[in-house]
Amino acid sequence: MNIRIGNGYDIHQLCKGRPLIIGGVEIPHELGLLGHSDADVLTHAIMDAMLGALSLGDIGHYFPPTDPKWAGADSLMLLSQVNQLVRSHGWRIGNIDSVVVAERPKLKPHIKTMRDRIANTLELNPDQIGIKATTNEKLGPVGREEGIAAYAVALLISD
Ligand code: MG
């Protein structure tokens, strides 16, 4: 089989006193995402999709939140490491698609920059990186602005 598909999901709590970093972009907002690394929820979902496609486990296995080494880590740097792992197994990314679910702030103005940064990190063309943003229609924890969630799928192609 020369193609594989994986999916990833992540959610982080919103809190005061943290930056809001999504898809490698710092977005102006009065709340940020809580986490051991930079808590980049979208990049985490993408990494899990890539790892899942090859049944290589999840990001918690490679970058455990108990390890001080990853405190405040730049998730794009972690993404680059996951990409190297995928490449070392003889696979490359066909495309990625993703959704960020956030009630606020408006993410649309930042999506092009997110696509550019993720594509650059993965050495891909931005047209291989789909990023969509939606609200949760005020429903549930995401709708109450207690957190931001992200979903991703990755299609990998054998070299
Ligand atoms: Mg995470």
Side-chain angles (χ1 to χ4, degrees):
M1 192 165 51
N2 60 0
I3 60 169
R4 302 278 299 246
I5 192 166
N7 83 95
Y9 167 78
D10 196 20
I11 187 166
H12 281 263
Q13 282 180 42
L14 281 162
C15 68
K16 285 197 166 32
R18 290 269 305 180
L20 178 62
I21 297 169
I22 302 178
V25 179
E26 185 165 347
I27 297 165
H29 193 46
E30 73 268 23
L31 301 172
L33 291 174
L34 185 63
H36 184 63
S37 66
D38 64 3
D40 184 338
V41 65
L42 171 60
T43 303
H44 293 183
I46 288 172
M47 286 191 275
D48 266 354
M50 292 165 64
L51 292 169
L54 299 182
S55 307
L56 289 172
D58 59 40
I59 55 171
H61 173 73
Y62 298 93
F63 314 111
T66 47
D67 189 339
K69 188 159 92 177
W70 308 117
D74 174 355
S75 292
L76 289 185
M77 189 266 286
L78 308 183
L79 178 65
S80 173
Q81 290 188 30
V82 168
N83 194 43
Q84 284 168 33
L85 183 69
V86 165
R87 300 289 294 139
S88 73
H89 279 77
W91 294 81
R92 62 190 165 84
I93 294 167
N95 74 299
I96 285 166
D97 189 28
S98 63
V99 189
V100 183
V101 192
E103 211 60 35
R104 278 191 323 129
K106 279 263 173 284
L107 299 179
K108 199 176 172 192
H110 306 286
I111 284 180
K112 183 184 181 300
T113 314
M114 292 180 197
R115 291 176 67 204
D116 287 347
R117 292 210 178 145
I118 290 168
N120 190 47
T121 302
L122 295 172
E123 299 173 299
L124 297 174
N125 196 304
D127 72 8
Q128 291 169 280
I129 311 294
I131 302 176
K132 305 179 299 294
T134 188
T135 71
N136 218 33
E137 294 289 340
K138 296 189 162 44
L139 294 167
V142 170
R144 290 190 296 270
E145 300 182 38
E146 293 167 11
I148 290 178
Y151 301 83
V153 290
L155 186 82
L156 303 191
I157 302 167
S158 172
D159 281 336

